[in-house]
Amino acid sequence: MPAAPSSSGKAMAAAAVVVTMLLASAAAAAAQHDYGDALHKCILFFEGQRSGRLPPDQRVRWRRDSGLHDGAAAGVDLTGGYYDAGDNVKFGFPMAFTATLMSWGLIDFGRSFGPHKEEARKAVRWATDYLMKATARPNTVYVQVGDAFRDHACWERPEDMDTPRTVYRVDPSHPGSDVAAETAAALAAASIVFRDSDPAYSKRLLDRAVAVFEFADKHRGPYSSSLHAAVCPCYCDYSGYQDELLWGAAWLHKASRRREYREYIKRNEVVLGASEAINEFGWDNKHAGINVLISKEVLMGKDEYFQSFRVNADNFICTLLPGISNHPQIQYSPGGLLFKVGSSNMQHVTQLSFLLLAYSNYLSHAGGRVSCGSSSASPAQLRRVAKRQVDYILGDNPLRMSYMVGYGARFPRRIHHRASSIPSVAAHPARIGCKAGAAYYASPAPNPNLLVGAVVGGPTDASDAFPDARAVFQQSEPTTYINAPLMGLLAYFSAHPNPADSGGD
């Protein structure tokens, strides 16, 4: 049960004091971290999540080809893409969001990626190549491959999976503005990533993004109504599709610079709820991300037209700052971890920290500060809060545990991940069936295959506790959308390890 308001206020105040103390020593503690190595591993994780025919340069060697007939029953090629987490379903909604966030990191902090930039672009392309296949038919977006309920009833390697690879789509008769607009956002953002390195591919991505967004806007409706039995409860869109329409338009405006998207955003700002739920950002709710992204236009002096988005962004950022925020949904643990009540807390940590860093970057270039009522915060303060979260993930926490597999001396060994927890095809060539994998799920032994770079859900409350148990999936399961924003964060801090001295990228 939630604490009474007075207790909650005292807990938050105490946590704020602890966090402030921790922030003061963050620079010294963080000197131990090799952010470049963590970035390399963060990107490598995506190779372990690949579906389809693996390329010759695949580095996660214990994985093999899988899902080679995906889409065949529907007469479409849907091979490739990513498994979103520890299961074997391809969910288009979080996959598209993952691609958008990976691209945003490369767009804003590309110079900081250094020698890892090309592998990061490859990680984006593995997603966008799939999304191009999923949107190849006009007015249609294929949004899922695999029966989630049947898949979750099994514990088997993706190489062995024999559960139904059912294909689900949205079209004019079965709208899905949320997933379609997120897909348009991903394609538009990626078009910026590949603009210099592969102009022809970039153009194809942008052209497709335009067409997919038009479909999303023209045929409005949530995909969780059209495909409720298939997509809920795993990736049900609880926040509605309105935020994705604004999000998609914002990315199309950024990628194309077409006036029509600028006008769309301003015309729909109120009706699509730009100022609603500004403390949220994730695969379901894009409101805070919309305001931060569009605020860059205002801060760069390009578009006062969007001043209201800057106000919304400031209000959002203020909810995240220890010692300033009194927002009940944003709290900090005694060890300094940002947490929101619910499962898989690290998704909130990496996604909200990325927005802090991105906004600090825009403010630095503009010489601005965040206005929080009677107080304000500098870009350096925002960076320090974001860096503290990254350092917590990498091991600066009460357990002295890295929550990234393969980084540091101590990290999770029993992650909730089928392919990692079952012997590889090389080690056990014979098929391991649906129910035969249960023995590996229940085993107390560490996973035989190291999914290097995977960041798990981590502590989910104020206790800073972590059981390292496969069965506690809320804490032990990695996801692509935890790692996606972490790429940009790690790139930035690898190039700017002292946030007090660093400006914009």
Side-chain angles (χ1 to χ4, degrees):
M1 293 290 290
S6 58
S7 300
S8 176
K10 291 175 183 177
M12 288 170 60
V17 171
V18 173
V19 173
T20 302
M21 294 170 59
L22 287 164
L23 287 172
S25 61
Q32 306 166 20
H33 294 303
D34 185 340
Y35 298 107
D37 179 55
L39 172 61
H40 163 71
K41 288 171 177 171
C42 182
I43 299 169
L44 190 63
F45 158 74
F46 288 95
E47 293 194 14
Q49 296 300 110
R50 284 173 169 171
S51 181
R53 193 172 299 284
L54 303 182
D57 62 354
Q58 170 81 7
R59 294 169 297 178
V60 180
R61 304 300 297 178
W62 51 266
R63 281 294 325 283
R64 293 289 189 271
D65 297 346
S66 61
L68 297 182
H69 303 291
D70 282 357
V76 61
D77 177 11
L78 293 177
T79 57
Y82 290 119
Y83 304 116
D84 73 298
D87 53 15
N88 300 322
V89 181
K90 290 193 298 205
F91 295 99
F93 199 19
M95 194 192 310
F97 179 69
T98 291
T100 307
L101 267 289
M102 286 195 289
S103 293
W104 195 354
L106 278 161
I107 292 164
D108 278 18
F109 309 113
R111 285 181 294 179
S112 295
F113 275 79
H116 307 293
K117 190 171 186 178
E118 183 53 34
E119 59 185 296
R121 279 199 293 240
K122 285 183 179 179
V124 173
R125 187 157 186 160
W126 195 266
T128 54
D129 280 354
Y130 173 82
L131 295 176
M132 288 292 280
K133 293 178 180 180
T135 57
R137 293 183 178 178
N139 293 320
T140 301
V141 181
Y142 290 93
V143 300
Q144 185 171 314
V145 180
D147 182 318
F149 295 95
R150 296 284 293 277
D151 178 271
H152 290 174
C154 292
W155 195 262
E156 59 185 347
R157 304 178 295 201
E159 295 84 358
D160 290 334
M161 61 183 172
D162 52 5
T163 52
R165 301 301 286 170
T166 312
V167 172
Y168 302 92
R169 71 182 191 183
V170 295
D171 55 32
S173 301
H174 309 87
S177 300
D178 32 30
V179 66
E182 180 61 68
T183 301
L187 296 172
S191 76
I192 303 173
V193 169
F194 293 101
R195 187 174 287 162
D196 295 330
S197 61
D198 193 338
Y201 185 60
S202 172
K203 184 178 186 305
R204 291 198 303 274
L205 290 170
L206 183 56
D207 289 346
R208 184 65 58 77
V210 169
V212 173
F213 182 78
E214 183 179 351
F215 159 67
D217 190 42
K218 183 177 180 181
H219 302 282
R220 293 191 180 188
Y223 93 136
S224 47
S225 292
S226 299
L227 298 171
H228 188 273
V231 304
C232 295
C234 297
Y235 290 104
C236 212
D237 186 1
Y238 299 100
S239 71
Y241 63 82
Q242 292 85 352
D243 53 322
E244 276 81 24
L245 288 175
L246 274 177
W247 177 244
W251 277 108
L252 277 161
H253 179 247
K254 187 175 181 68
S256 71
R257 309 311 301 175
R258 295 180 190 173
R259 185 179 181 86
E260 65 185 277
Y261 297 113
R262 176 182 180 273
E263 296 301 324
Y264 180 97
I265 293 166
K266 195 61 184 176
R267 187 172 67 251
N268 288 285
E269 175 185 357
V270 175
V271 69
L272 294 180
S275 63
E276 294 176 6
I278 59 167
N279 63 302
E280 293 282 349
F281 183 60
W283 59 263
D284 179 31
N285 192 321
K286 314 304 187 314
H287 285 293
I290 293 163
N291 288 301
V292 169
L293 181 66
I294 295 177
S295 290
K296 184 179 182 182
E297 301 287 316
V298 182
L299 289 164
M300 295 297 102
K302 293 180 180 178
D303 212 331
E304 285 296 319
Y305 200 45
F306 290 140
Q307 183 63 38
S308 55
F309 290 89
R310 162 79 196 276
V311 173
N312 292 338
D314 271 13
N315 290 338
F316 156 72
I317 292 296
C318 293
T319 69
L320 304 181
L321 300 180
I324 293 178
S325 171
N326 60 357
H327 201 287
Q329 292 192 40
I330 304 290
Q331 301 177 48
Y332 285 86
S333 72
L337 180 68
L338 183 156
F339 76 91
K340 289 168 65 70
V341 175
S343 62
S344 190
N345 185 60
M346 285 305 182
Q347 66 179 307
H348 305 304
V349 174
T350 61
Q351 290 156 10
L352 297 178
S353 295
F354 179 85
L355 292 188
L356 279 166
L357 183 63
Y359 202 55
S360 77
N361 198 28
Y362 306 156
L363 289 168
S364 290
H365 283 295
R369 294 174 66 88
V370 178
S371 176
C372 298
S374 60
S375 61
S376 67
S378 69
Q381 286 175 272
L382 271 56
R383 287 191 290 272
R384 282 196 293 270
V385 175
K387 189 168 184 288
R388 174 67 193 117
Q389 298 307 301
V390 172
D391 291 343
Y392 187 107
I393 291 171
L394 297 182
D396 291 355
N397 55 63
L399 297 182
R400 313 310 296 171
M401 167 180 275
S402 160
Y403 288 100
M404 175 184 282
V405 174
Y407 180 88
R410 185 182 182 206
F411 51 83
R413 299 281 182 170
R414 298 162 187 83
I415 68 172
H416 183 96
H417 192 278
R418 288 157 176 77
S420 172
S421 66
I422 300 174
S424 68
V425 173
H428 190 294
R431 182 178 173 277
I432 299 173
C434 169
K435 298 303 181 184
Y440 300 102
Y441 172 80
S443 170
N447 289 7
N449 308 310
L450 216 57
L451 186 59
V452 173
V455 178
V456 297
T460 56
D461 56 30
S463 68
D464 291 299
F466 180 74
D468 193 14
R470 214 169 284 120
V472 189
F473 69 90
Q474 299 93 334
Q475 295 183 266
S476 64
E477 188 170 19
T479 70
T480 56
Y481 45 90
I482 292 176
N483 275 56
L486 188 58
M487 282 171 47
L489 287 158
L490 290 169
Y492 180 84
F493 291 123
S494 68
H496 308 90
N498 186 348
D501 298 337
S502 54
D505 192 51

